[in-house]
Amino acid sequence: MNNRSYSARQLKEQIKNKSLSPQELSSSIISLCNSVQEKYNAFISIDPDIISKEIEALFDDKLKVGDNAPLFGFSYSLGDNIATSGYVTTCASKMLSTYKPPLDAHVFLKLKENGAIIIGKTNMEEFGIGCSGESSYFKGVKNPWNTKHTAGNGAAAAVLTGVVNFSLASDVRGELRQAASYCGVFALKPTYGRISRRGLLDSASSLENIGLMAGNTMDLAAALTAVAGHDPHDVTSLRSEAPDYISLLEGNSKELQAAVPENWQDAPYLEDELKDIFQGQLKKLEELGIKIHFVQLPHFQHSSLTATIISAVEAFSNLANYDGVRFGYRAEGRHLQEMYTLTRSEGFSSKLKKFLTFGALVSSAKYYNDYFLKAQKLRSVITKELEDCLQRYDLLLTPTTPFRAPGPGILPGREELPDPAGYYTAAANLAGLPALTYPLHTKGLPYGLQFTGKKEDELTLLKAALLLENENTLAFPNFDFNNQGV
Amino acid sequence: MQINDEELKNASWDARIKLTQQEEKELHEQLQTFFKMAKVLQKIDLGEAEASFGAIKGYNTLRKDIIEPSLPLQLSLENAPDADSSSFLVPKIVEE
């Protein structure tokens, strides 16, 4: 069984007419989780007791979860930097490997209210920084299309294998979308502030927000409808009401105008096959009535560099509180300063230690004006350039990443500053714009097609994705865990 | 541009991190690539552009000045590596 062959809607019917027992459903889901974990290392925590209790609640008529709850029967996972008081929340770091937060994230509470079942906490890069599968304390996530390659994170692998209907994970410079592209699933990073960030243990506050992944557009829209909206306890939360994306998706679409950066082929490590595939997709979109316009966005190409500098400085500041005093790992030191230094040197991965040192360097007095301040100014320029472009056009189209999922011997930009995987994705984080990646299934590992939209206009992105989805047959692999393989 | 060892040591001290020799070597290499790529920052004419500190303008608003319950003491101390009934405990601040 997996969730694509056994949808939440079917499940709802079976629970309603009680043709399936809670025990049968729990044991089936737990066994699927264990198989996915064993083969791909997608999860950091799976708790069979929590899964069983959540499922029993679905069957219990007396409990508040009614079968008319919008996400009744949907299963999901949370990235392990989203706080849950019932599960450890490790940020994939030794520093927090035993940390149990005192509070639940806003998104967790909203999903519970909407009837969704949490399956587990997914593996990721340490503190959500990057997508190359190198820094998790719990080892990397294998890509279910080809286990020699990285999945980017566990959220994408969980959606691809069908163990969950949707996943939530964070996006600093595009990590959510990059992993979705590597695994060939849908992902949406909404406008900054559209989904509450309360309970997100972030590394770069001004860039990072929570996004969603799913196996189709409608599941993405259903999950977004449940978690989007104002949260008075999050000062970065947008004050405007979030619409019901599902009902609006059913409405008619106007003719969309899409922009493509003229210099989109300048990305380092851009694969030749992707050039052809992307051009083919542009033709397909034109056939579907979307008008394509090539535009000049001269500073777009610097967005990954800009976001790398800003995220490193913000991480240097945000992660300063991991010092062994109030929570997390502590190393023994002869005095306080030594305890701080040893705690952080032993508690963080080698990759993160270098990244934080880089953040300290570019924000130091000598380099501040030439690098950090310049990056902040460039962020304003990139934001204005994108906003001006999106005044004239409904969407900006690019590939999601310049290359397929990195693997052994083909790790483009491994530990490079800036990270080349963020070439197309980082601009949306700098400007706080919504961006969606649509899966492009090919003969080998998949690619992604990215739509970036106007602030608070997630609906247009979902409509464009649905238009393509209705025309394309996506070739998801058929995972049969009983027979050990795809 | 070449970063010298002392600058790197100062930066890692600011981050309260001790890098191994191997990590220092790797970071030097990364920084060489970075500074090569970041030369572009010095060439771009940013005109009168103002620095941007967030994705949403004016998002950092203050809430009303009303006292609300905060995290209970016991819950705050629950994850501490070392604590007594009311405080976080840390090693002494001076070397012996």
Side-chain angles (χ1 to χ4, degrees), chain A residues 1-21 25 58-59 67 70-75 117 162 165 216 219:
Chain A
M1 176 185 117
N2 72 47
N3 277 340
R4 257 188 308 279
S5 59
Y6 200 84
S7 77
R9 291 161 191 88
Q10 286 171 297
L11 195 61
K12 185 173 173 174
E13 280 311 304
Q14 290 192 278
I15 294 173
K16 231 169 140 182
N17 61 33
K18 298 205 163 67
S19 61
L20 187 71
S21 76
L25 182 57
L58 291 182
F59 283 81
D67 57 17
L71 296 179
F72 185 92
F74 278 70
S75 57
I117 317 160
N165 294 104
N216 59 65
D219 283 357

Coordinates of all heavy atoms in Angstrom, one line a residue, chain A residues 1-21 25 58-59 67 70-75 117 162 165 216 219:
Chain A
M1 N 0.8 -1.2 0.0 CA 0.0 0.0 0.0 C 0.9 1.3 0.0 O 1.9 1.3 0.7 CB -0.8 0.0 1.3 CG -1.7 1.2 1.5 SD -2.5 1.2 3.0 CE -1.8 2.7 3.8
N2 N 0.5 2.3 -0.8 CA 1.1 3.6 -0.6 C 0.0 4.6 -0.8 O -1.1 4.3 -1.3 CB 2.4 3.8 -1.4 CG 2.1 4.0 -2.8 OD1 1.2 4.8 -3.2 ND2 2.9 3.3 -3.7
N3 N 0.3 5.8 -0.4 CA -0.8 6.8 -0.4 C -1.3 7.3 -1.8 O -2.3 7.9 -1.9 CB -0.4 8.0 0.4 CG -0.6 7.8 1.9 OD1 -1.4 6.9 2.2 ND2 0.1 8.5 2.7
R4 N -0.4 7.1 -2.8 CA -0.9 7.5 -4.1 C -1.9 6.4 -4.6 O -2.9 6.8 -5.3 CB 0.2 7.6 -5.1 CG 0.5 9.1 -5.3 CD 1.5 9.3 -6.4 NE 2.6 8.4 -6.2 CZ 3.6 8.7 -5.4 NH1 3.6 9.8 -4.7 NH2 4.6 7.9 -5.2
S5 N -1.7 5.1 -4.3 CA -2.7 4.1 -4.7 C -3.8 4.1 -3.8 O -4.9 3.5 -4.1 CB -2.0 2.8 -4.9 OG -1.4 2.4 -3.7
Y6 N -3.7 4.6 -2.6 CA -4.7 4.5 -1.5 C -4.9 5.9 -1.0 O -4.3 6.2 0.0 CB -4.0 3.6 -0.5 CG -5.0 2.9 0.4 CD1 -5.7 1.7 0.0 CD2 -5.3 3.5 1.7 CE1 -6.6 1.1 0.9 CE2 -6.2 2.8 2.5 CZ -6.8 1.7 2.1 OH -7.7 1.1 3.0
S7 N -5.7 6.7 -1.7 CA -5.7 8.1 -1.4 C -6.5 8.4 -0.1 O -7.2 7.5 0.5 CB -6.4 8.9 -2.5 OG -7.8 8.6 -2.4
A8 N -6.3 9.6 0.5 CA -6.9 10.0 1.7 C -8.5 10.0 1.5 O -9.2 9.7 2.5 CB -6.5 11.4 2.1
R9 N -8.9 10.3 0.3 CA -10.4 10.3 0.1 C -11.0 8.9 0.2 O -12.0 8.7 0.8 CB -10.7 10.9 -1.2 CG -10.4 12.4 -1.2 CD -10.2 13.0 -2.6 NE -9.7 14.3 -2.5 CZ -8.4 14.6 -2.5 NH1 -7.5 13.7 -2.6 NH2 -7.9 15.9 -2.4
Q10 N -10.3 7.9 -0.3 CA -10.7 6.5 -0.2 C -10.7 6.1 1.3 O -11.6 5.4 1.7 CB -9.8 5.6 -1.0 CG -10.0 5.6 -2.5 CD -8.9 4.8 -3.1 OE1 -7.7 5.1 -3.0 NE2 -9.3 3.8 -3.9
L11 N -9.6 6.5 1.9 CA -9.5 6.1 3.3 C -10.6 6.7 4.2 O -11.1 6.0 5.0 CB -8.1 6.7 3.8 CG -7.6 6.2 5.1 CD1 -7.3 4.7 5.0 CD2 -6.3 6.9 5.4
K12 N -11.0 7.9 3.9 CA -12.1 8.6 4.6 C -13.4 7.7 4.5 O -14.0 7.5 5.5 CB -12.3 9.9 4.0 CG -13.3 10.8 4.7 CD -13.3 12.2 4.0 CE -14.4 13.0 4.6 NZ -14.3 14.4 4.1
E13 N -13.6 7.2 3.3 CA -14.8 6.4 3.1 C -14.7 5.1 4.0 O -15.7 4.7 4.6 CB -14.9 6.0 1.6 CG -15.5 7.1 0.7 CD -16.8 7.7 1.3 OE1 -17.7 7.0 1.6 OE2 -16.8 9.0 1.6
Q14 N -13.5 4.5 3.9 CA -13.4 3.3 4.7 C -13.5 3.4 6.2 O -14.0 2.6 6.9 CB -12.1 2.6 4.3 CG -12.1 2.1 2.9 CD -11.0 1.2 2.6 OE1 -9.9 1.6 2.3 NE2 -11.2 -0.1 2.7
I15 N -13.0 4.6 6.6 CA -13.1 4.9 8.1 C -14.5 5.1 8.4 O -15.0 4.6 9.4 CB -12.2 6.1 8.5 CG1 -10.7 5.7 8.3 CG2 -12.4 6.5 9.9 CD1 -9.7 6.8 8.4
K16 N -15.2 5.9 7.6 CA -16.6 6.3 7.8 C -17.5 5.0 7.9 O -18.3 4.9 8.8 CB -17.1 7.1 6.6 CG -17.7 8.4 7.0 CD -17.9 9.3 5.8 CE -19.2 10.0 5.8 NZ -19.4 10.8 4.6
N17 N -17.3 4.1 6.9 CA -18.2 2.9 7.0 C -17.5 1.8 7.7 O -18.0 0.6 7.7 CB -18.6 2.5 5.5 CG -17.4 2.1 4.7 OD1 -16.4 1.6 5.2 ND2 -17.5 2.4 3.4
K18 N -16.4 2.1 8.4 CA -15.7 1.1 9.3 C -15.4 -0.2 8.6 O -15.5 -1.3 9.3 CB -16.6 0.9 10.6 CG -16.7 2.2 11.4 CD -17.0 2.0 12.9 CE -16.7 3.2 13.8 NZ -17.6 4.3 13.7
S19 N -15.1 -0.2 7.3 CA -14.7 -1.4 6.7 C -13.2 -1.7 6.9 O -12.6 -2.7 6.5 CB -15.0 -1.3 5.2 OG -14.2 -0.3 4.6
L20 N -12.5 -0.8 7.6 CA -11.1 -0.9 7.9 C -11.0 -0.7 9.4 O -11.6 0.3 9.9 CB -10.3 0.1 7.2 CG -8.8 0.1 7.2 CD1 -8.3 -1.1 6.4 CD2 -8.3 1.4 6.5
S21 N -10.2 -1.4 10.2 CA -10.1 -1.2 11.6 C -8.9 -0.3 11.8 O -8.0 -0.2 11.0 CB -9.9 -2.5 12.4 OG -8.6 -2.9 12.2
L25 N -5.2 -0.2 9.9 CA -4.6 0.9 9.2 C -3.3 1.3 9.9 O -2.3 1.6 9.2 CB -5.6 2.1 9.3 CG -5.2 3.4 8.7 CD1 -4.9 3.2 7.2 CD2 -6.3 4.5 8.8
L58 N -9.2 9.2 14.7 CA -10.0 9.4 13.5 C -11.3 8.5 13.5 O -12.3 8.8 13.0 CB -9.2 8.9 12.2 CG -8.0 9.8 11.8 CD1 -7.4 9.2 10.6 CD2 -8.5 11.2 11.6
F59 N -11.1 7.3 14.2 CA -12.2 6.4 14.2 C -13.2 6.6 15.4 O -14.3 6.1 15.4 CB -11.7 4.9 14.4 CG -11.1 4.4 13.1 CD1 -9.8 4.7 12.7 CD2 -11.8 3.5 12.3 CE1 -9.3 4.2 11.6 CE2 -11.3 3.0 11.2 CZ -10.0 3.3 10.8
D67 N -15.3 13.6 10.5 CA -14.9 13.2 9.2 C -15.1 14.3 8.1 O -14.9 14.1 6.9 CB -15.5 11.9 8.8 CG -17.0 11.9 8.8 OD1 -17.6 13.0 8.8 OD2 -17.6 10.8 8.8
P70 N -11.2 19.1 6.9 CA -10.7 19.2 5.5 C -9.6 18.2 5.2 O -9.5 17.7 4.1 CB -10.2 20.6 5.4 CG -10.9 21.4 6.5 CD -11.2 20.4 7.6
L71 N -8.8 17.9 6.2 CA -7.7 16.9 5.9 C -7.9 15.6 6.6 O -6.9 14.9 6.9 CB -6.4 17.6 6.3 CG -5.9 18.8 5.6 CD1 -4.6 19.4 6.1 CD2 -5.8 18.6 4.1
F72 N -9.1 15.2 6.8 CA -9.4 14.0 7.5 C -8.8 12.8 6.7 O -9.1 12.6 5.5 CB -10.9 13.8 7.6 CG -11.3 12.6 8.4 CD1 -11.6 12.7 9.8 CD2 -11.5 11.4 7.8 CE1 -12.0 11.5 10.5 CE2 -11.9 10.2 8.5 CZ -12.1 10.3 9.8
G73 N -8.0 12.0 7.3 CA -7.4 10.9 6.6 C -6.1 11.2 5.9 O -5.4 10.3 5.4
F74 N -5.7 12.4 5.8 CA -4.4 12.8 5.1 C -3.3 12.5 6.1 O -3.4 12.8 7.3 CB -4.4 14.3 4.8 CG -5.1 14.6 3.5 CD1 -6.5 14.6 3.4 CD2 -4.4 15.1 2.4 CE1 -7.2 15.0 2.3 CE2 -5.0 15.4 1.2 CZ -6.4 15.4 1.2
S75 N -2.2 11.9 5.6 CA -1.1 11.7 6.4 C 0.0 12.7 6.0 O 0.1 13.1 4.8 CB -0.6 10.3 6.3 OG -0.3 10.0 4.9
I117 N -3.0 13.3 10.0 CA -2.2 12.4 10.9 C -0.7 12.6 10.7 O -0.2 12.4 9.6 CB -2.5 10.9 10.5 CG1 -4.0 10.7 10.3 CG2 -2.0 10.0 11.6 CD1 -4.2 9.4 9.5
G162 N 5.2 7.8 -1.2 CA 3.7 7.7 -0.9 C 3.4 7.4 0.5 O 2.3 7.1 0.9
N165 N 0.8 11.9 2.4 CA 0.2 12.7 1.3 C 0.9 14.0 1.1 O 1.0 14.5 0.0 CB -1.3 13.0 1.7 CG -2.1 11.8 1.7 OD1 -2.5 11.3 2.8 ND2 -2.4 11.2 0.6
N216 N 0.7 15.9 -5.8 CA -0.2 16.5 -6.8 C -0.6 17.9 -6.3 O -0.5 18.2 -5.1 CB -1.4 15.6 -7.1 CG -2.2 15.4 -5.9 OD1 -2.8 16.3 -5.3 ND2 -2.3 14.1 -5.4
D219 N -3.5 18.2 -3.5 CA -3.1 17.9 -2.1 C -2.3 19.1 -1.5 O -2.4 19.5 -0.4 CB -2.2 16.7 -2.0 CG -3.1 15.4 -2.1 OD1 -4.3 15.5 -2.1 OD2 -2.5 14.3 -2.1

